Amino acid sequence: MADIDLSALTEEVVSRFDSTPDARLRRVMQALVRHLHAFARDVELTEAEWFKAIEFLTATGQTCTPTRQEFILLSDVLGLSMLTVGLNGSKPAGCTEPTVFGPFYVADAPAYGDGEDVANGAPGTPCTVRGTVRSRDGAPIANARIEVWQADDEGQYDVQKQGLEHAQARGVLHSRHDGGFHFRTIVAEPYPIPTDGPVGTLLGHTRRSPWRPAHLHFRISAPGYQTLVTHVFRAGDEHLGTDPVFGVRESLIAEWPRQADGSHRLDFDFVLNPDA
Ligand code: BEZ
Ligand code: FE
């Protein structure tokens, strides 16, 4: 077998994928090889650094469980999740902007009726959320499926809590005939993304903040419309400019005014993009 000159190695590896029958897989793998090799050449990667990187990726995989997705977290802090959202989720003007999904969504959250309390015992300051779901032309969307989830005032999602047997601060509602909805919950507070795994160690070594600005997650779906995955953030939050997962969009920042009784209120209207 002939020696492969270092300068020719990259193209030799690329050519080994030439017979991949799936054209998309071929394109992705060949570009991945070119970019990875260019990266290693660019930083003049040492063997010790390469070994450290393998250890880091191994630890990332070993940290994953059914309720802990360290690889998604890695993608999030590298900005890859938000880049993918931006590349695929661009919507016409007037539609609500999407943002990162995050690792704490649960598909089968409990159902609630209009006006009910989704907090279900989660600690926090009470908050009432009201809004509408509309199409781009302003028409109300009745019976849209509205999934919401959030952390409590200790910065924890229910799925992160040991021994909790029921869902808290998450639920599924449906919009009324007029497209409106409302529910009670607790006010969103800033919280750190998990720092007890390899991604947290990386943030520490690079002096990056793990604090996400306060937000409430929404996933809104309705037949004939593109599903919207987004958050609503709280105006004035000190972490809006340093979100570790790059999810903040100006159009998703809202006031959550404090009411006379000490509770908060959020009003936010959502606009879905009709299917092509
Ligand atoms: C979240 O908002 O739930 C989240 C998003 C990305 C990484 C960690 C948490
Ligand atoms: Fe979150």
Side-chain angles (χ1 to χ4, degrees):
M1 198 184 108
D3 291 345
I4 300 170
D5 186 70
L6 202 58
S7 64
L9 177 64
T10 302
E11 286 311 309
E12 175 63 23
V13 180
V14 166
S15 72
R16 300 281 176 101
F17 288 96
D18 278 349
S19 6
T20 307
D22 182 322
R24 177 68 185 164
L25 179 62
R26 184 167 67 245
R27 179 175 167 196
V28 168
M29 290 311 301
Q30 292 186 325
L32 179 67
V33 168
R34 285 201 176 99
H35 285 281
L36 270 180
H37 284 218
F39 160 75
R41 292 177 200 274
D42 180 26
V43 301
E44 301 176 81
L45 194 67
T46 69
E47 283 181 276
E49 288 164 345
W50 173 81
F51 195 69
K52 197 103 191 129
I54 296 293
E55 273 181 357
F56 173 80
L57 291 173
T58 302
T60 299
Q62 287 170 341
T63 305
C64 294
T65 70
T67 54
R68 174 77 187 259
Q69 243 301 353
E70 196 75 358
F71 267 115
I72 293 184
L73 204 57
L74 179 58
S75 163
D76 294 340
V77 303
L78 293 178
L80 184 59
S81 307
M82 199 54 201
L83 178 63
T84 309
V85 168
L87 289 173
N88 294 280
S90 84
K91 310 234 181 277
C95 292
T96 306
E97 287 192 275
T99 188
V100 284
F101 204 38
F104 299 122
Y105 171 77
V106 171
D108 53 357
Y112 289 96
D114 199 50
E116 286 190 323
D117 183 10
V118 309
N120 199 19
T125 306
C127 179
T128 301
V129 180
R130 288 172 199 280
T132 57
V133 184
R134 294 185 183 278
S135 181
R136 203 148 41 96
D137 63 5
I141 302 175
N143 206 33
R145 179 180 168 88
I146 304 165
E147 295 168 89
V148 297
W149 67 105
Q150 67 172 112
D152 65 19
D153 70 356
E154 291 156 9
Q156 293 233 298
Y157 284 82
D158 54 0
V159 292
Q160 294 176 287
K161 295 186 187 180
Q162 303 285 328
L164 187 66
E165 270 161 23
H166 58 278
Q168 281 188 334
R170 72 172 69 242
V172 184
L173 303 111
H174 288 84
S175 57
R176 300 184 301 259
H177 266 303
D178 62 357
F181 66 85
H182 95 279
F183 59 93
R184 287 174 294 132
T185 184
I186 49 175
V187 76
E189 302 285 357
Y191 66 86
I193 62 171
T195 53
D196 58 346
V199 172
T201 305
L202 176 67
L203 291 184
H205 282 313
T206 53
R207 305 290 185 272
R208 283 182 51 186
S209 167
W211 285 87
R212 291 221 68 204
H215 59 273
L216 173 58
H217 292 259
F218 285 85
R219 180 180 189 275
I220 305 183
S221 48
Y225 292 89
Q226 292 174 0
T227 296
L228 172 69
V229 174
T230 195
H231 319 339
V232 180
F233 295 92
R234 277 179 73 183
D237 191 302
E238 62 178 306
H239 307 289
L240 284 168
T242 52
D243 183 10
V245 305
F246 310 95
V248 178
R249 311 292 301 161
E250 198 66 40
S251 70
L252 301 176
I253 302 173
E255 298 292 339
W256 300 45
R258 200 178 147 91
Q259 309 297 286
D261 66 357
S263 71
H264 285 251
R265 174 178 176 144
L266 167 67
D267 294 277
F268 201 89
D269 296 327
F270 296 89
V271 178
L272 302 191
N273 194 26
D275 274 336

